[in-house]
Amino acid sequence: MDLEDGKENHYILKEGAAFNMRLKWYVQKDMVTGLKWINCVYKMKVRVDKEEVMLGSFAPRTEAYEHTFAADEAPSGFVARGKYTGKMSIIDDDGNLLSTIQYSFEIKKDWK
């Protein structure tokens, strides 16, 4: 899934399926210190998961930086099925919000 367009993204996960996420970004002008990725997942407006990962400090360069997160597994069972929304935020150590990406997904019994 490519989130570069900034629009809301929706995708389907099969319950119990393994998945991982990869983040790619560029640093253009000034060094970025203490870059942190925060991901919150909501079901029916109730937060069901929050994950924070400290990515580190990065100097400007022309090539993209990349971080692949550890593999995870979608929940399974009747209660886990349904629609979820999520919000990824990237902040620096000064608390400046650098990027926000909203997405939604649905956990289903099968891929259809």
Side-chain angles (χ1 to χ4, degrees):
M1 171 173 65
D2 191 9
L3 299 177
E4 291 179 359
D5 61 3
K7 296 178 183 174
E8 187 171 334
N9 296 280
H10 181 79
Y11 57 98
I12 296 173
L13 285 173
K14 182 178 178 183
E15 62 180 338
F19 67 94
N20 66 355
M21 292 187 288
R22 180 176 44 170
L23 184 64
K24 261 185 168 177
W25 70 96
Y26 291 92
V27 178
Q28 295 179 347
K29 295 179 183 177
D30 297 324
M31 184 169 183
V32 178
T33 58
L35 196 65
K36 186 191 302 186
W37 174 81
I38 302 170
N39 185 43
C40 295
V41 178
Y42 302 88
K43 183 174 183 181
M44 297 185 335
K45 298 185 181 184
V46 175
R47 188 173 74 195
V48 294
D49 188 33
K50 181 178 181 181
E51 186 176 2
E52 292 186 22
V53 176
M54 179 59 77
L55 299 172
S57 297
F58 302 93
R61 68 178 194 188
T62 56
E63 300 86 30
Y65 288 98
E66 185 174 311
H67 180 82
T68 302
F69 297 95
D72 204 353
E73 186 175 309
S76 60
F78 178 76
V79 174
R81 290 184 213 134
K83 295 181 182 181
Y84 293 79
T85 58
K87 180 178 175 182
M88 287 187 238
S89 300
I90 300 173
I91 61 170
D92 64 10
D93 62 351
D94 294 328
N96 298 321
L97 180 64
L98 303 175
S99 182
T100 300
I101 300 167
Q102 294 186 358
Y103 62 95
S104 62
F105 62 96
E106 196 168 346
I107 296 179
K108 293 186 172 184
K109 193 167 186 165
D110 54 28
W111 293 108
K112 296 178 183 178

